Amino acid sequence: MWSLGTWMLQAALCCVLLQTVLPSARGLNMCMSGSATSCEECLLIHPSCAWCAQEDFGRGRSLTSRCDFSQNLLKRGCDEHFIEYPTSSINVLQNIPLSSKGSGSTQYDVVQIMPQKISLSLRPGDQTWFSLQVRQVEDYPVDLYYLMDLSLSMKDDLDTIRNLGTKLAHEMGKLTSNFRLGFGSFVDKNMSPFSYMAPKYQENPCNGYKLFPNCVPTFGFRHILSLTDKVDRFNEEVQKQMVSRNRDAPEGGFDAILQAAVCKEKIGWRKEALHLLVFATDDVPHLALDGRLGGLVHPHDGQCHLNDNNEYSASTKMDYPSLALLGEKLAENNIFLNFAVTKRLYVIYKNFTALIPGTTVEILDQDSKNVIQLIIAAYNNIRSKVELSVWDHPEDLSLSFTATCQDGNPLPGLRKCADLKIGDTVSFNVSVEARSCPPHGTDHRFTIKPVGFKDRLEVAVDYECDCGCSRNAQNNSVICSSIGTYNCGTCQCEPGYLGARCECQEGETSNMFLSACRESEGKQICSGRGECSCNQCLCYESEFGKIYGSFCECDDFSCARHKGILCSGHGECHCGECKCHAGYIGDNCNCSTETSGCISDDGKMCSGRGSCVCGRCQCNEPGAFGETCEKCPTCPDACGTKRECIECRLFNSGRLADNETCQRQCKDHIIPVETLKTDEPGAVLCLYKTDDDCVMKFTYSEHASGQSILSALKEPECVRGPDALMVLVAVVGSILLVGLLLLAAWKLVITIHDRREFARFQSARSRARYEMASNPLYKHPISTHFVETDFSMYSKSYNGGLH
């Protein structure tokens, strides 16, 4: 079912169409002012024009008066039964519901696009719309063919992947229950100047090479293992392989890619599986025309040339394939190509992905240690997006796409949705307009197909260019004075005869006829651009184009131009007004409604700093510039957006850490420096705190060439925090020290106090001795003892003696 956003878009487009029709009804009536003298010519003027085939309609008026808006014809007395007014229509022929799972008993009937077949009946100039839905189903079968460069520089990589099959099958088993793996290898054409051709190198190209003296003869492409679910066989075959050697740096990898794509039976690609071709190399490829260096003048024919030994037999007979041929064959066979290349080659292969639909690029470690993570990332990247492609697009059809992705917002001009989860469903609204009528009997068909999917929408096109009344044409009809053909209410006279009933001959004139050739009283006869003959204007021929109309008032060359081109080349000139093709608007049709050119690398419209006008960004944020307003050193969010690029490019961290996202969104020139200069004119200093509490500094400026320059410190500035143990020791030591100091101070105070007291005691004691020695009043104490005997009691006094 269509979403609310899709219906709103339909309503908006209908309003636009009505706005293009109604002004014509109020002002210039393009139907009546056209040059139509037959029903078919009337239908070509504008999709809103209708023709009245009623015999007695419009007598006494110009012949073109039969061509008018249908509502006007009814008002003027034309019976509805005689009005020829075909309209565009859509008929859904096959509409099987989308599947939810890819494996199991229903894997051969998996449906990922809906509908599957429709037929369109199109009237020229009339836009019509249809909707389609696409879903990446869960647990979809996967065929993965690993194509490896076996030139000498890849020896360490070969050693790394000898047990790749088991590990890869284990990881892929988490994503799909139906996985098959195949293997092939390549080097280069075994001919001069691409390889060593001296006799001593024929059996061993590494002869005399000290670092690695033995290797196998040079070969172009060798298919080693067809796709199989027995991953142990992959390990066995890889362990048997040996590297070879070629002469020049570029490899013959594109020969190998083409053979892996077109030799479907030998490779074993399944129709009902996702096809993933992983291309691992550490150097650039040879391209088309390189083969002429070796005398190969025949271009590649795009066919399979594997012999009985599964080797590429035409390697020394045909040139290398072109990028266009490569892209065509990959798309024909629904193959996603993933370039697994070393870091120094990333930019080169990234440019290839822009020319070959359905390709991605990932950075491969020097020894291929990250190959499994790379393949998983490539698979997730492929399964996270849906992009539509059009096959056999008829030249006279205009197609315009509007994508409605997971957020539910219509995105005009886009045919791609990204950041999807497996199982998500996205929809696309397709606008179709026929610009002209093809020759009779032409069978026009085209196909809309998600890149890399086997599923497709087949569209058959029929053109509403003929009037039903033409089937009843009468030759030499008495209505036409027996010298003309009566067709759809008008007479088509024999040469030399004119008039509504072929009643006049060329050259006859009269005042009555002349008055009928003036648009209004006082105006020139036939607008000064024709002659009046038998009540009709015969318009002059012009070297600039066609002059037409009842009074020769119209032409097809007096419309607005853009850069000297009539209607900008995107419309048709009709009586002074440009009738724009689908996807263009404006007085001179120079304004494109496509918005794909306004989408920045981060997926935002004009980087969120402007609006898309005529297919180009108009920046609203002060200081913002660039094709998608992506450059803005003075914007508040400038440092924040550039910070993510610093994190992923220099430290492989942050939100954009995966290779595909980082390289796609971060194209700025980053200069690592030891010391940051902050006094450069026009440079903005940015700082942010890292996860480990360090401070990262960089400057952001725009070069005169238009490239963004980021100068960043090689390493964040980190202020080391105190060691916890040292802090503890310091605190405890401080407490002890303070305690000892306090104890010492207390001891000192006590000692001083004691000494003072002792001194005071000594002084008092000395004074006491002096007093006893020198005081004349002092007498020693006298002790008296009483002794009782039997005879008497004596009193004895002792003072040193008896007294």
Side-chain angles (χ1 to χ4, degrees):
M1 294 183 66
W2 291 0
S3 65
L4 179 60
T6 304
W7 282 113
M8 293 176 66
L9 177 64
Q10 291 273 35
L13 291 172
C14 289
C15 291
V16 171
L17 181 60
L18 287 175
Q19 288 175 352
T20 62
V21 173
L22 293 180
S24 300
R26 294 191 299 265
L28 173 67
N29 188 327
M30 63 179 67
C31 302
M32 293 187 67
S33 62
S35 60
T37 58
S38 67
C39 181
E40 285 76 12
E41 291 181 2
C42 176
L43 299 184
L44 287 174
I45 294 176
H46 194 273
S48 61
C49 295
W51 178 269
C52 180
Q54 189 172 319
E55 179 185 347
D56 58 353
F57 178 79
R59 286 188 176 177
R61 301 178 64 89
S62 62
L63 296 176
T64 52
S65 63
R66 290 180 176 271
C67 187
D68 200 348
F69 300 119
S70 58
Q71 62 269 29
N72 291 350
L73 292 175
L74 289 171
K75 292 177 181 178
R76 291 166 49 202
C78 183
D79 192 295
E80 186 176 2
H81 176 71
F82 290 100
I83 294 179
E84 294 285 340
Y85 183 54
T87 57
S88 300
S89 61
I90 301 173
N91 185 23
V92 179
L93 305 178
Q94 186 176 3
N95 194 28
I96 302 174
L98 296 172
S99 303
S100 58
K101 194 172 183 180
S103 295
S105 60
T106 61
Q107 72 177 68
Y108 298 102
D109 301 317
V110 173
V111 177
Q112 298 185 97
I113 188 171
M114 182 180 75
Q116 296 80 40
K117 291 182 180 180
I118 64 172
S119 64
L120 303 178
S121 182
L122 301 178
R123 178 173 171 179
D126 187 19
Q127 287 189 4
T128 188
W129 302 268
F130 64 88
S131 180
L132 62 96
Q133 294 181 327
V134 182
R135 176 187 295 165
Q136 292 261 31
V137 301
E138 299 177 6
D139 197 23
Y140 197 65
V142 176
D143 286 347
L144 189 150
Y145 193 77
Y146 194 84
L147 185 56
M148 184 175 182
D149 177 3
L150 283 188
S151 59
L152 190 58
S153 57
M154 294 286 285
K155 182 181 181 303
D156 55 345
D157 300 76
L158 179 61
D159 295 336
T160 301
I161 70 162
R162 294 194 185 277
N163 294 313
L164 173 67
T166 304
K167 299 176 183 177
L168 182 58
H170 175 72
E171 293 298 324
M172 290 299 294
K174 301 175 184 178
L175 304 173
T176 176
S177 61
N178 195 336
F179 174 68
R180 298 201 310 170
L181 187 61
F183 183 71
S185 61
F186 66 91
V187 183
D188 206 347
K189 295 182 183 296
N190 190 20
M191 61 184 299
S192 181
F194 312 114
S195 299
Y196 293 96
M197 299 307 298
K200 66 176 182 178
Y201 294 124
Q202 290 302 303
E203 296 300 324
N204 181 13
C206 297
N207 190 357
Y209 188 67
K210 295 181 179 180
L211 296 178
F212 195 77
N214 296 307
C215 59
V216 299
T218 306
F219 58 93
F221 164 64
R222 182 176 294 155
H223 168 53
I224 298 170
L225 177 65
S226 298
L227 292 163
T228 177
D229 56 2
K230 297 178 176 60
V231 295
D232 291 339
R233 284 204 56 203
F234 180 92
N235 297 337
E236 293 172 5
E237 295 297 334
V238 172
Q239 290 171 4
K240 297 177 185 176
Q241 302 308 308
M242 292 182 62
V243 294
S244 183
R245 187 186 183 197
N246 61 323
R247 189 171 190 174
D248 58 351
E251 319 290 5
F254 280 9
D255 269 342
I257 291 175
L258 188 65
Q259 293 304 298
V262 299
C263 299
K264 297 181 287 186
E265 290 76 16
K266 291 201 172 186
I267 301 297
W269 298 114
R270 293 176 293 178
K271 183 179 179 181
E272 65 285 349
L274 183 144
H275 303 157
L276 181 58
L277 176 59
V278 178
F279 177 82
T281 185
D282 65 347
D283 223 315
V284 296
H286 277 296
L287 303 175
L289 302 182
D290 284 358
R292 296 193 176 188
L293 297 172
L296 302 178
V297 296
H298 295 290
H300 205 291
D301 61 4
Q303 302 300 316
C304 178
H305 294 283
L306 291 185
N307 58 22
D308 294 338
N309 295 324
N310 285 331
E311 292 192 0
Y312 178 38
S313 60
S315 177
T316 58
K317 299 176 182 178
M318 290 187 295
D319 194 6
Y320 298 96
S322 65
L323 289 172
L325 179 61
L326 208 60
E328 176 186 340
K329 295 303 177 182
L330 289 170
E332 278 183 10
N333 296 284
N334 308 320
I335 295 174
F336 287 103
L337 174 62
N338 175 250
F339 293 120
V341 299
T342 51
K343 189 173 184 178
R344 69 181 182 87
L345 302 174
Y346 182 87
V347 175
I348 296 175
Y349 282 89
K350 181 65 177 177
N351 293 334
F352 288 154
T353 64
L355 303 173
I356 307 176
T359 57
T360 57
V361 60
E362 301 286 347
I363 295 178
L364 184 69
D365 288 347
Q366 290 293 338
D367 56 0
S368 295
K369 285 184 178 179
N370 68 330
V371 65
I372 293 180
Q373 295 89 337
L374 182 150
I375 292 173
I376 299 299
Y379 173 84
N380 290 331
N381 181 41
I382 290 169
R383 297 281 277 159
S384 67
K385 61 186 178 183
V386 170
E387 181 176 4
L388 298 184
S389 61
V390 181
W391 291 66
D392 304 322
H393 184 184
E395 293 183 357
D396 57 354
L397 284 186
S398 294
L399 296 180
S400 179
F401 292 81
T402 298
T404 303
C405 303
Q406 283 307 103
D407 58 3
N409 297 322
L411 301 172
L414 289 185
R415 60 174 73 179
K416 177 181 178 180
C417 285
D419 300 325
L420 303 176
K421 297 178 181 178
I422 295 176
D424 287 348
T425 302
V426 295
S427 63
F428 297 88
N429 203 53
V430 186
S431 169
V432 188
E433 178 186 348
R435 293 195 293 266
S436 61
C437 288
H440 285 282
T442 303
D443 182 22
H444 277 177
R445 296 176 180 271
F446 66 93
T447 301
I448 297 178
K449 179 174 171 290
V451 175
F453 284 50
K454 70 176 181 66
D455 305 77
R456 63 190 65 201
L457 169 60
E458 297 177 359
V459 184
V461 183
D462 181 31
Y463 295 83
E464 292 288 348
C465 295
D466 298 324
C467 297
C469 56
S470 297
R471 293 191 290 268
N472 300 320
Q474 303 173 17
N475 295 326
N476 299 321
S477 172
V478 294
I479 301 175
C480 303
S481 305
S482 299
I483 49 175
T485 300
Y486 180 73
N487 184 20
C488 293
T490 64
C491 288
Q492 298 173 359
C493 304
E494 298 292 338
Y497 291 90
L498 300 170
R501 296 292 181 263
C502 305
E503 69 275 16
C504 298
Q505 286 186 321
E506 291 185 7
E508 294 181 357
T509 60
S510 69
N511 290 333
M512 179 183 68
F513 293 155
L514 290 175
S515 62
C517 293
R518 288 187 176 92
E519 188 173 4
S520 61
E521 192 65 32
K523 289 196 174 183
Q524 290 181 302
I525 295 174
C526 298
S527 304
R529 302 199 294 179
E531 294 180 352
C532 184
S533 178
C534 194
N535 203 31
Q536 295 182 67
C537 284
L538 298 178
C539 302
Y540 298 140
E541 292 184 357
S542 173
E543 61 180 328
F544 301 109
K546 181 181 179 182
I547 299 174
Y548 59 92
S550 301
F551 308 101
C552 301
E553 75 278 13
C554 293
D555 60 57
D556 61 0
F557 53 82
S558 297
C559 290
R561 297 171 183 264
H562 179 65
K563 296 183 179 179
I565 302 176
L566 189 68
C567 298
S568 306
H570 302 303
E572 307 294 336
C573 180
H574 179 79
C575 205
E577 292 186 0
C578 286
K579 178 190 173 188
C580 302
H581 296 157
Y584 292 90
I585 57 175
D587 293 339
N588 53 11
C589 302
N590 70 322
C591 184
S592 172
T593 59
E594 289 283 335
T595 59
S596 55
C598 296
I599 304 298
S600 56
D601 291 333
D602 58 3
K604 297 180 181 178
M605 187 72 70
C606 298
S607 304
R609 300 177 180 136
S611 56
C612 189
V613 179
C614 296
R616 306 187 69 175
C617 284
Q618 290 188 357
C619 305
N620 301 328
E621 186 81 22
F625 62 99
E627 291 186 358
T628 58
C629 305
E630 75 281 6
K631 303 178 184 299
C632 187
T634 60
C635 289
D637 61 342
C639 290
T641 56
K642 299 303 179 182
R643 164 189 173 172
E644 295 179 339
C645 292
I646 294 291
E647 289 178 335
C648 74
R649 290 274 296 277
L650 292 185
F651 308 110
N652 194 30
S653 62
R655 186 177 65 88
L656 308 179
D658 67 278
N659 294 326
E660 178 71 18
T661 305
C662 183
Q663 297 296 334
R664 184 181 71 250
Q665 295 190 17
C666 301
K667 301 176 182 177
D668 304 329
H669 183 47
I670 300 179
I671 306 174
V673 296
E674 295 288 350
T675 305
L676 198 63
K677 297 181 179 179
T678 60
D679 56 350
E680 295 182 1
V684 178
L685 177 63
C686 299
L687 304 92
Y688 68 89
K689 193 174 184 180
T690 64
D691 293 338
D692 50 1
D693 292 333
C694 297
V695 177
M696 184 62 191
K697 296 180 180 179
F698 65 94
T699 60
Y700 168 32
S701 61
E702 293 293 339
H703 193 264
S705 63
Q707 188 175 27
S708 299
I709 306 295
L710 303 179
S711 299
L713 293 175
K714 290 183 177 180
E715 295 293 338
E717 293 181 348
C718 298
V719 179
R720 284 193 167 274
D723 189 348
L725 180 60
M726 293 299 295
V727 171
L728 180 62
V729 171
V731 171
V732 173
S734 299
I735 293 173
L736 292 175
L737 180 61
V738 171
L740 290 174
L741 291 174
L742 291 175
L743 185 61
W746 177 81
K747 181 65 176 176
L748 179 62
V749 170
I750 294 300
T751 301
I752 294 173
H753 179 268
D754 287 349
R755 287 181 178 178
R756 287 179 177 176
E757 290 298 321
F758 181 74
R760 190 180 293 115
F761 170 76
Q762 289 290 90
S763 176
R765 183 177 178 185
S766 298
R767 286 196 303 271
R769 286 177 181 162
Y770 169 77
E771 290 173 353
M772 286 186 294
S774 59
N775 189 354
L777 297 179
Y778 177 76
K779 291 182 179 181
H780 286 284
I782 298 174
S783 298
T784 301
H785 299 274
F786 295 93
V787 180
E788 183 178 355
T789 64
D790 294 335
F791 305 101
S792 59
M793 184 173 55
Y794 296 92
S795 175
K796 296 180 180 179
S797 299
Y798 296 92
N799 185 14
L802 181 64
H803 295 279

